Amino acid sequence: MPAQHHKTASDDKVSFGQKLAYGAGGYADNLMQNSVNQMAKPVFNMTLGVDPGLLTTALALPRLWDAIIDPFIGTASDNARTRWGRRKPFVVVGATLCGLLFALLWMVPHGWPKAGYLAHFFIVVMLFYTAYAVFTVPYGAVGIEMSPDYHERTRVVAFRTFFSGIAGISTSWMLWLSQRSVFTDALHGMHWVGLGVGLTMIVLGVMPALFVKERGQTKARKQRKVPLLPSLKESITIKSFRLILLIIVLMSIGLFMVNGLGYYINIYYVFGGDMRAASAIQGVTGTVYQVSGMLALPLITMASSRFGKRRTLFVCLFLPLVGTIAKWFCYTPSYPYLQVVPPLLMSPGLACLWTLLGSMLADVTDVDELKHGVRREGTLNAIYMWASKLGTSAAVLMSGYVISFSGFKAEFGGAQTPESMLVMRALVAFLPALSIAAAIIIVKRFPIGEAEAYATRKELEHRRAMAPRSAQ
């Protein structure tokens, strides 16, 4: 426990309404980030027969492009000077385009050649993730700016995590919704489900722009504009920032490379090829995962306030470590619902990870200002998102070839070979464990605790107070 516990000043607190609006954007952000990946394989591979390796390549390349343009979007946002602020125009445009393009993605008929499906998928997904970069980088910067307080930052990010969890429940049931008897197949179902999800992206995505006040606009207008390359070089010199980037890359690769394998194990190992039955339990386990993480958020914020972010995250990461290993034992045809156990363990720990990493990133922006004299929340969040998307892109790219390597054949239906299912089960259980173990070691070495964060803020406030005198 820190020697001195700090209480959040009233001026540093963010109103419930603004937290709510920011959290609504987190719902949209989660849909944008995960819905395409969630439904790509069931629709384009399992239903339309597109090769899984080619499909995941067509999915990974836009994510890689998305990662490449993030720093440009972040710098453009930091240097923007509009009557609506630095972030809001990007958020509105990005959310609107994402909603429209997501609905368009599934609007293909049966009867096309597989190359046509692949080309349509690649072009629309490339445009979609370009729009997503325009939305998510400035949106993340808005959250960083909402409070300068070490603890209030965690509470703000907790709202985002909470609403992201609700969105996660929605995506967990997308396959189930597309399988209803009113639809002929998953493609027909996604014609309509895609429209609803796209509209939700637009409505909730613009909420932060409409109702969250951008903090520090006066200072931002006066500070010098920083070109992209110098800004990137200065940012990467901060040790605490490099450690955060390493954690996010490791976790993205470890989790997302095998995340889609759960579908295949459920459908072809647990349920013998019955997609409709598997979709129901997929929805149940996804709901359990998200609800358990959401319920853990009050405990996470209280523990962080009492023990600090670093110690809280270090302890919490042991939960997903145990949970992912438990998958080896819990995916079984004899007891299908036993697979609700791993998400009960994993979700609280991962909710802690995503919440506290976002809050730690806000603390890094203070260290950056102390060292370099500028506020660049957009650039730092862009690099953070770049690292996340780079890891996710690599994971998604490898995941399709992992499926092919395992020996899975869509034409075999429920008669997949035992060897292919064994490979999938081993990867889904043990590969994430390696990434989580590495992240635990890195968190232990993170240099910013509560005392260091408040000392940095005190020095920044002293400098700002002295700046007008120096100018006289």
Side-chain angles (χ1 to χ4, degrees):
M1 185 183 302
Q4 181 182 4
H5 178 69
H6 293 264
K7 187 176 181 180
T8 303
S10 58
D11 289 345
D12 295 336
K13 292 182 178 179
V14 179
S15 70
F16 179 80
Q18 289 200 63
K19 289 176 181 174
L20 202 63
Y22 183 68
Y27 189 109
D29 185 84
N30 183 287
L31 291 181
M32 296 171 194
Q33 185 174 9
N34 295 314
S35 295
V36 173
N37 190 49
Q38 191 89 348
M39 292 304 300
K41 293 184 181 74
V43 173
F44 283 89
N45 171 229
M46 299 178 192
T47 303
L48 298 177
V50 176
D51 178 79
L54 294 176
L55 181 64
T56 51
T57 300
L59 183 59
L61 291 178
R63 297 307 301 261
L64 183 61
W65 164 251
D66 174 18
I68 291 171
I69 65 174
D70 276 353
F72 295 92
I73 300 295
T75 302
S77 176
D78 282 341
N79 291 331
R81 305 291 186 269
T82 77
R83 58 183 295 188
W84 302 284
R86 295 190 294 172
R87 320 296 183 192
K88 293 181 179 181
F90 292 89
V91 169
V92 171
V93 171
T96 303
L97 290 176
C98 277
L100 296 174
L101 288 164
F102 184 82
L104 177 63
L105 178 60
W106 316 101
M107 295 298 176
V108 293
H110 282 285
W112 281 12
K114 293 177 182 178
Y117 289 129
L118 185 65
H120 169 85
F121 181 85
F122 177 73
I123 293 170
V124 177
V125 171
M126 179 69 79
L127 294 173
F128 176 84
Y129 281 116
T130 302
Y132 177 59
V134 173
F135 169 82
T136 193
V137 173
Y139 166 69
V142 169
I144 294 172
E145 295 169 340
M146 288 176 72
S147 175
D149 182 75
Y150 177 83
H151 296 302
E152 187 69 2
R153 285 167 168 170
T154 300
R155 299 179 192 113
V156 168
V157 180
F159 269 75
R160 174 177 179 170
T161 306
F162 180 84
F163 278 90
S164 181
I166 299 175
I169 296 173
S170 304
T171 56
S172 297
W173 289 97
M174 283 175 61
L175 177 61
W176 180 86
L177 285 173
S178 71
Q179 291 290 306
R180 296 307 84 209
S181 58
V182 69
F183 304 126
T184 56
D185 58 15
L187 175 64
H188 183 212
M190 282 306 296
H191 286 172
W192 295 98
V193 174
L195 284 172
V197 173
L199 181 61
T200 304
M201 289 178 183
I202 296 172
V203 173
L204 296 185
V206 302
M207 290 294 178
L210 296 178
F211 299 109
V212 175
K213 181 179 179 181
E214 288 189 34
R215 190 166 184 145
Q217 283 301 299
T218 302
K219 182 180 185 300
R221 292 190 187 99
K222 294 179 180 178
Q223 81 172 14
R224 61 185 173 89
K225 294 185 177 182
V226 184
L228 176 60
L229 289 180
S231 189
L232 294 177
K233 290 178 181 178
E234 290 177 356
S235 301
I236 210 69
T237 62
I238 305 169
K239 178 184 177 181
S240 54
F241 189 44
R242 295 198 302 272
L243 292 179
I244 287 178
L245 297 181
L246 184 56
I247 291 170
I248 199 68
V249 169
L250 285 171
M251 294 299 293
S252 295
I253 292 176
L255 294 174
F256 290 108
M257 191 169 96
V258 298
N259 187 49
L261 295 183
Y263 272 137
Y264 289 83
I265 296 171
N266 249 323
I267 295 170
Y268 298 103
Y269 175 70
V270 177
F271 287 99
D274 187 342
M275 185 183 291
R276 182 162 294 182
S279 69
I281 198 168
Q282 197 77 26
V284 170
T285 55
T287 301
V288 169
Y289 177 90
Q290 299 298 342
V291 170
S292 59
M294 291 157 60
L295 292 176
L297 284 172
L299 296 176
I300 292 168
T301 55
M302 285 190 292
S304 176
S305 296
R306 183 173 176 81
F307 302 109
K309 303 172 190 178
R310 178 175 51 202
R311 186 180 300 181
T312 301
L313 182 55
F314 177 79
V315 172
C316 284
L317 281 176
F318 282 94
L319 289 172
L321 180 61
V322 174
T324 188
I325 294 172
K327 290 180 180 180
W328 175 257
F329 307 97
C330 294
Y331 278 105
T332 168
S334 301
Y335 302 100
Y337 281 89
L338 192 62
Q339 61 187 280
V340 301
V341 173
L344 280 172
L345 293 170
M346 294 186 68
S347 182
L350 294 177
C352 182
L353 175 73
W354 307 130
T355 299
L356 294 188
L357 273 189
S359 184
M360 288 171 169
L361 179 62
D363 299 332
V364 169
T365 62
D366 290 341
V367 176
D368 182 36
E369 183 183 0
L370 186 65
K371 186 174 181 179
H372 300 116
V374 293
R375 300 289 298 185
R376 46 180 158 220
E377 295 89 348
T379 299
L380 290 175
N381 187 58
I383 300 172
Y384 175 86
M385 295 301 300
W386 173 84
S388 174
K389 294 170 184 177
L390 182 67
T392 302
S393 298
V396 170
L397 179 62
M398 290 184 283
S399 68
Y401 295 99
V402 166
I403 294 170
S404 298
F405 172 77
S406 72
F408 171 83
K409 301 291 183 183
E411 58 269 23
F412 288 0
Q416 301 296 322
T417 65
E419 292 79 11
S420 68
M421 293 295 101
L422 182 66
V423 170
M424 287 188 178
R425 290 174 56 221
L427 287 171
V428 85
F430 300 117
L431 184 61
L434 297 176
S435 295
I436 296 168
I440 290 172
I441 296 171
I442 297 168
V443 168
K444 185 70 174 176
R445 302 177 59 188
F446 191 75
I448 304 176
E450 181 174 352
E452 293 84 0
Y454 278 104
T456 298
R457 182 182 174 187
K458 184 177 180 180
E459 176 61 25
L460 285 174
E461 290 175 347
H462 175 71
R463 286 189 184 183
R464 292 165 186 163
M466 296 298 293
R469 300 180 187 177
S470 302
Q472 291 177 358

